[in-house]
Amino acid sequence: MDPGHGSKFAIWTQHTVKGGAGAEVRWYEINPAAHSLIQSGKVTSPSLFEFNGAIAPNRLVNGGTKSGGNAMLMNFNTSSTATFPSIKMVSKVGGGAQSGQVIVTSSILLHRCNVRCTHAARRH
């Protein structure tokens, strides 16, 4: 149930399609009863492939108590021929705009830590 859209039952989904530098992730909130789109968006970049998305609405059901449903968080991967893979996320609350992309972690960060940790272990 999405309280921001008349408490309609909604299905949230996403998929990767051709776009941006080669691939982009599009997301949708769908009203299955009316066969209509409630809202949609995408993550795209002119220099990165964006793919492997996963979307989660905020929804709490605890017995008869129900809340949330008007916000989402979506994570996805990015990469290109010039960058290491990263995990990023965007969010959207109610009627507000989708957030900018936020880096959750990057392969280069993990690579740097592994090199430093391995080097430090060899010194001992």
Side-chain angles (χ1 to χ4, degrees):
M1 302 300 211
D2 185 342
H5 294 97
S7 292
K8 295 179 179 101
F9 176 76
I11 295 173
W12 293 77
T13 190
Q14 59 70 39
H15 65 147
T16 301
V17 298
K18 184 177 180 178
E24 66 185 22
V25 180
R26 294 183 186 168
W27 62 266
Y28 311 90
E29 184 184 14
I30 301 166
N31 179 339
H35 301 254
S36 64
L37 185 64
I38 296 172
Q39 59 179 334
S40 64
K42 65 182 177 179
V43 289
T44 189
S45 167
S47 60
L48 296 171
F49 285 74
E50 291 157 324
F51 56 97
N52 199 29
I55 193 166
N58 70 323
R59 183 74 179 132
L60 172 67
V61 178
N62 187 3
T65 304
K66 300 173 181 126
S67 65
N70 68 341
M72 69 84 167
L73 182 128
M74 185 173 71
N75 68 320
F76 53 96
N77 300 102
T78 64
S79 186
S80 76
T81 58
T83 63
F84 284 96
S86 294
I87 300 171
K88 296 185 179 182
M89 57 146 290
V90 295
S91 61
K92 184 173 184 316
V93 178
Q98 176 180 296
S99 73
Q101 297 184 14
V102 176
I103 295 176
V104 175
T105 191
S106 171
S107 294
I108 188 67
L109 298 175
L110 297 174
H111 173 73
R112 286 180 182 158
C113 177
N114 191 29
V115 169
R116 279 185 293 208
C117 295
T118 303
H119 182 68
R122 287 182 187 154
R123 289 188 295 181
H124 295 293

